């Protein structure tokens, strides 16, 4: 009596062709379908896309509201006083750049070493400074680097720090490679570099924004701290962007919109130099997405909470 269990593809068929012709045809079809699954899997696995190094450029543009930033130009309606303000310097350090790709994966951008604007993963964006008519300083408005991508992957988001990483922030800048040796973007070994510099002036005097680390524990300004500063002040910015078609804007007017740029507290730095005792910083530091601890005296502390950062956005 014949067993009714269907044989596997590897089992010889012992059927009588005259009696079991229809069964044989059915079994053959089932075996072809079942045995073909492995070859189908191999075919899918062999179609993995190759990964190649791709050159990437992230473009930035400095603006003053709806107008492009031009060093030396006067802009009207700045701040709560709606003042006329002449901008004279606009520079920013960018570091630790990560991207999110179209498949949801993330990857660090390998920043190009160009010997001028980019070194050790840090880029200096220079939108124009020294615009006194006596010099013609070059500008840099882009970050260049590379990623390891497949043909189907593309950038959907870019994240970066405004600033210089701690491990290279507090070195002797005269011995550092460009762009970390730029004297106009450096305070001292104790506090390190100025991460963000925006200088301007009104009829009432200068109003500047210099963002950098504060609360750095050393005995003097010419000594580097051994541990991170109390206020690192390196804001992390994440923006949805397609760098092949879009640009990151850096808006000076948005930064100053809640500040009276024609008024500066006596005996304090002009504008905001990141000092925790500087009242002008209360309306500026939070716009970078940072908390600001205002301390006019040792016993008087007020936490000004971070806002959603509004200085960087995409166009």
């Amino acid at each position: 009596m014949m067993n009714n269990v269907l044989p596997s593809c590897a089992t010889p068929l012992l059927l009588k062709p005259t009696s079991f012709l229809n069964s044989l045809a059915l079994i053959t079809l089932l075996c072809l379908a079942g045995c073909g699954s492995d070859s189908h899997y191999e075919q899918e696995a062999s179609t993995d896309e190759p990964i190649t190094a791709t050159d990437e450029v992230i473009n930035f543009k400095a603006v003053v509201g709806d107008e492009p930033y031009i060093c030396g130009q006067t802009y009207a309606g700045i701040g709560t006083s709606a003042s006329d303000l002449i901008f004279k310097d606009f520079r920013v350090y960018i570091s630790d750049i990560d991207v999110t790709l179209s498949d949801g994966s993330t990857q660090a951008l390998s920043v190009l070493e160009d010997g001028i604007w980019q070194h050790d993963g840090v880029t200096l964006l220079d939108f124009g400074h020294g615009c006194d008519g006596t010099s013609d300083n070059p500008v840099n408005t882009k970050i260049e680097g590379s990623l390891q991508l497949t043909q189907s992957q593309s950038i959907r988001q870019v994240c970066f720090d405004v600033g210089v990483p701690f491990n290279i922030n507090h070195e002797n800048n005269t011995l550092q490679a460009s762009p970390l040796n730029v004297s106009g973007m450096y305070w001292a070994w104790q506090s390190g570099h100025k991460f963000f510099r925006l200088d301007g002036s009104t009829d009432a005097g200068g109003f500047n924004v210099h963002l950098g680390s504060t609360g750095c524990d050393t005995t003097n300004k010419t000594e580097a701290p051994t541990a991170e500063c109390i206020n690192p002040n390196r804001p992390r910015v994440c923006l949805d962007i397609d760098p092949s078609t879009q640009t990151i804007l850096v808006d000076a007017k948005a930064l100053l919109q809640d500040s009276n740029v024609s008024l500066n507290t006596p005996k304090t730095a002009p504008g905001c130099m990141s000092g925790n005792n500087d009242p002008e910083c209360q309306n500026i530091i939070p716009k970078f997405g940072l908390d600001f601890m205002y301390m006019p005296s040792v016993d008087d502390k007020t936490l000004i909470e971070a806002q959603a950062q509004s200085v960087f956005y995409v166009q």
Side-chain angles (χ1 to χ4, degrees), residues 120-285:
D120 209 4
V122 179
T123 299
L124 175 60
L125 300 174
D126 189 338
F127 302 115
H129 73 280
C131 44
D132 54 7
T134 63
S135 60
D136 184 19
N137 294 308
V139 299
N140 178 54
T141 61
K142 65 181 182 300
I143 296 173
E144 295 182 281
S146 63
L147 296 169
Q148 298 289 326
L149 302 180
T150 66
Q151 188 174 4
S152 63
Q153 289 177 315
S154 58
I155 298 173
R156 289 293 178 265
Q157 186 185 72
V158 171
C159 294
F160 55 85
D161 285 352
V162 178
V164 177
F166 173 78
N167 64 313
I168 55 175
N169 186 36
H170 302 275
E171 298 180 11
N172 183 347
N173 77 309
T174 63
L175 302 178
Q176 290 184 292
S178 183
L180 295 172
N181 61 354
V182 176
S183 59
M185 294 295 289
Y186 190 74
W187 275 326
W189 283 18
Q190 182 183 49
S191 49
H193 293 78
K194 302 172 186 177
F195 303 153
F196 184 104
R197 177 170 184 167
L198 177 66
D199 292 359
S201 64
T202 68
D203 291 340
F207 196 96
N208 308 325
V209 177
H210 294 179
L211 179 69
S213 297
T214 62
C216 306
D217 186 17
T218 63
T219 57
N220 57 68
K221 291 184 178 181
T222 59
E223 182 181 347
T226 57
E228 181 63 275
C229 303
I230 296 174
N231 306 300
N233 286 342
R234 278 184 290 270
R236 186 72 173 167
V237 178
C238 290
L239 300 167
D240 294 336
I241 185 174
D242 177 358
S244 65
T245 61
Q246 295 177 303
T247 298
I248 297 176
L249 304 187
V250 192
D251 194 341
K253 188 173 184 178
L255 178 63
L256 300 174
Q257 68 175 357
D258 293 328
S259 300
N260 184 343
V261 297
S262 292
L263 178 66
N264 191 72
T265 304
K267 299 182 180 181
T268 65
C272 169
M273 304 283 190
S274 299
N276 290 85
N277 63 343
D278 192 337
E280 273 69 55
C281 288
Q282 296 178 87
N283 293 321
I284 291 178
I285 300 297

